[in-house]
Amino acid sequence: MIKLNTIQQGDCLELIKKLPDASIDCIVADPPYFLGVTHNGQKGEYSDLVIMKPFFESLFFQMNRVLKKDGCLYLCCDFRTYPLLYHTAQEYMKIDNLLVWDKWHGRVQHYYWLSHELIMFHGKLKKCDISMKNVFTVKGFNSGATKTNGAKLHPTQKPVELFEKFILDSTSENNIVLDCFFGSGTTAIAAIKTNRNYIGFELQGKYCKIAQDRINRYRGEEKEIENYEQSQNLFFQQK
Ligand SMILES: C[S@@+](CC[C@H](N)C(=O)[O-])C[C@H]1O[C@@H](n2cnc3c(N)ncnc32)[C@H](O)[C@@H]1O
């Protein structure tokens, strides 16, 4: 049994099997893009990604099993990984849309800036209004953000506002959000901020620790704000 609001260290393919059927309201998954896949020391090619197919087949099968009937899936990808992930996912669940996240910042290069990422979406949203366009801007980290200046804790960290948007768009308070590739725990911060529960799977011990420290820090800061607000109320009541 996996407890709510915990990080589990290990391979998500094994850990997800411990979750009951139809128990999760939303899955946010930001897998490695596997672009470092190399062949004999040479830079990898698209076809090399095929070695990832069995992994994602098992993962999509499990995701479909644990997701509630009215649950949603957000899966981050880019123009290179999308074709493989789309075809593999479609075997297990209907992919309903492809979201375009405009990161505002981008990597400057001679064949246009890399300033967006893609998110495959499965599910049906509870709300349906003009704010739900599938192209949206959320400021990402700029290329100067580093671990040492405190802005970034993980090389491919996503902004909290991005995952917060996904969670708010697709879940209600106290729902459960699963992140199979937890990294620095961005999903947990977004879930705590919006009064949802999270479950995080992360392979590397160092990121489990970084994420747990980040969550503890965030919860501490929240407590400080709460205490401050309470003391202000007391102050006004006493006046
Ligand atoms: C793209 S990063 C996620 C970054 C995260 N969204 C954040 O904002 O910090 C992917 C993470 O997945 C982890 N990972 C890779 N393979 C995994 C697996 N099979 N099971 C669980 N975690 C895995 C990596 O260690 C890495 O931290």
Side-chain angles (χ1 to χ4, degrees):
M1 211 43 183
I2 289 183
K3 278 195 181 163
L4 289 183
N5 303 313
T6 58
I7 309 170
Q8 306 292 321
Q9 186 186 350
D11 185 347
C12 61
L13 265 192
E14 293 309 314
L15 291 167
I16 198 170
K17 291 177 191 160
K18 296 185 182 177
L19 294 173
D21 293 356
S23 56
I24 300 293
D25 298 284
C26 174
I27 300 176
V28 176
D30 179 18
Y33 291 174
F34 302 106
L35 302 173
V37 173
T38 58
H39 177 69
N40 294 337
Q42 304 295 308
K43 190 146 176 58
E45 293 183 8
Y46 167 71
S47 58
D48 296 338
L49 292 174
V50 165
I51 62 169
M52 299 315 305
K53 196 168 162 55
F55 174 90
F56 281 105
E57 279 172 343
S58 308
L59 189 60
F60 286 126
F61 170 81
Q62 290 296 334
M63 284 175 164
N64 190 44
R65 183 186 65 77
V66 301
L67 204 57
K68 289 184 182 169
K69 279 268 163 297
D70 62 349
C72 293
L73 164 75
Y74 295 86
L75 190 121
C76 303
C77 54
D78 80 348
F79 68 99
R80 290 156 291 198
T81 52
Y82 172 68
L84 175 85
L85 290 174
Y86 175 78
H87 282 291
T88 310
Q90 282 278 115
E91 292 167 26
Y92 301 91
M93 57 176 78
K94 184 169 172 279
I95 296 303
D96 294 291
N97 211 333
L98 181 65
L99 317 184
V100 179
W101 166 35
D102 170 6
K103 302 196 277 190
W104 190 256
H105 297 292
R107 180 139 50 86
V108 182
Q109 50 187 15
H110 284 290
Y111 29 92
Y112 298 102
W113 286 32
L114 266 182
S115 64
H116 79 283
E117 286 191 31
L118 303 172
I119 294 114
M120 278 184 357
F121 174 75
H122 156 85
K124 196 170 174 188
L125 299 172
K126 291 182 179 71
K127 60 180 185 178
C128 177
D129 60 44
I130 196 153
S131 69
M132 308 302 281
K133 281 171 66 179
N134 71 348
V135 181
F136 48 83
T137 304
V138 172
K139 259 194 178 176
F141 290 95
N142 66 32
S143 51
T146 60
K147 289 186 203 174
T148 43
N149 69 17
K152 237 177 152 188
L153 300 164
H154 191 288
T156 55
Q157 188 172 331
K158 298 289 184 289
V160 171
E161 293 69 25
L162 180 70
F163 288 178
E164 195 179 336
K165 170 180 167 53
F166 297 161
I167 290 173
L168 284 172
D169 286 350
S170 64
T171 64
S172 311
E173 287 206 359
N174 300 317
N175 277 182
I176 304 173
V177 183
L178 168 69
D179 184 337
C180 297
F181 304 92
F182 205 54
S184 64
T186 305
T187 298
I189 304 300
I192 297 167
K193 260 182 106 172
T194 54
N195 294 323
R196 272 67 167 173
N197 295 293
Y198 66 88
I199 294 172
F201 298 152
E202 170 56 49
L203 198 56
Q204 296 202 52
K206 67 174 179 181
Y207 289 127
C208 292
K209 183 170 179 343
I210 284 172
Q212 191 58 61
D213 288 349
R214 182 179 181 196
I215 293 165
N216 295 346
R217 257 197 325 274
Y218 182 75
R219 286 201 192 277
E221 280 161 16
E222 249 195 344
K223 196 97 222 120
E224 266 174 37
I225 293 168
E226 221 174 87
N227 288 344
Y228 175 76
E229 281 169 359
Q230 275 168 8
S231 69
Q232 291 298 298
N233 278 342
L234 210 63
F235 177 73
F236 284 121
Q237 280 163 18
Q238 282 168 353
K239 267 189 127 184

